[in-house]
Amino acid sequence: MGRVRLSVAERREELLRAAVEQMSARGVAALRIADVAAALGVSNALVLYHFSTKERLVAAAFRHAAEADLAHLHKLLARRTTALRRLRAAVRWYAPTGRAEGWRLWIEGWAAAPREPVLREVTRELDRQWKAAIAAVIAEGAAAGEFSCAEPEAAALRLTALLDGLAVQLTSYAGAVSRARAQEWADEALARELGLERAALAPPRRRGDAARTPETRSRLRPPRRSAS
């Protein structure tokens, strides 16, 4: 049976998904156009028709994976609750969990960015958006009197820098720090940036509540294929 003919947008989406999966499996630096083509059973020329170079394919795939997580971050930060609760949820979600596949992809991207200008610009812009989203909610909470923070942008930079560094330790160096300790440090850092005691970050307990696991997801987790 022949392959189903896809629209330009559908083909591009398929190629980006395959590129993210191959980057996760092989690493950014080791990725070849041929790997993506072989994964889909198409020609190298088709991949190059859509992206022109490997560098552009890598940058587009990285953006494709990251934008889904950025959308989820904005959803968390837009909830109808206090700024403090939204920030706590975002920090807990930001941290690596499980196999942390997405975090490995970020680390690979950071390593390759100095040598690949197109990827460098993409990672820089995506990182700016993460920090800006968190800074905006910090500013909102400070303006509402929930906590005190004179420099929301600087606070967001310091906080995400700590989380990024902890992610490298957790992902690259097994046993360097436990996930529980990393979460403790992240909570302490958030409280410190907001001029609060760490106890203020504890969610309110309600009668009948069972122990709950915070909603978590590794940053930039590769998108799943559909069941079809």
Side-chain angles (χ1 to χ4, degrees), residues 116-178:
E116 298 187 14
V118 178
L119 179 60
R120 181 168 64 246
E121 289 306 309
V122 168
T123 56
R124 177 185 295 165
E125 173 58 21
L126 291 167
D127 190 64
R128 186 199 66 76
Q129 291 183 47
W130 279 87
K131 290 176 172 61
I134 292 172
V137 179
I138 293 176
E140 179 188 336
E146 291 186 38
F147 44 73
S148 176
C149 182
E151 298 182 306
E153 292 80 8
L157 193 156
R158 287 189 295 266
L159 186 60
T160 55
L162 171 67
L163 292 169
D164 290 344
L166 287 173
V168 172
Q169 294 294 314
L170 285 164
T171 305
S172 302
Y173 309 114
V177 59
S178 70

Side-chain angles (χ1 to χ4, degrees), residues 17 21 221-226:
R17 287 200 309 265
E21 291 172 359
R221 187 173 65 183
R224 295 180 180 176
R225 289 183 178 274
S226 64

Side-chain angles (χ1 to χ4, degrees), residues 101-116:
E101 293 178 0
W103 268 111
R104 284 196 293 274
L105 194 57
W106 262 104
I107 293 168
E108 289 269 1
W110 287 332
R115 297 182 299 277
E116 298 187 14

Side-chain angles (χ1 to χ4, degrees), residues 69-90 93 133-134 136-138 140 215:
D69 275 1
L70 274 168
H72 188 75
L73 175 69
H74 285 297
K75 183 178 179 180
L76 282 177
L77 295 179
R79 287 176 173 173
R80 296 175 63 85
T81 185
T82 65
L84 180 59
R85 291 185 187 176
R86 284 178 278 154
L87 287 167
R88 182 179 182 275
W93 174 74
I134 292 172
V137 179
I138 293 176
E140 179 188 336
E215 181 181 12

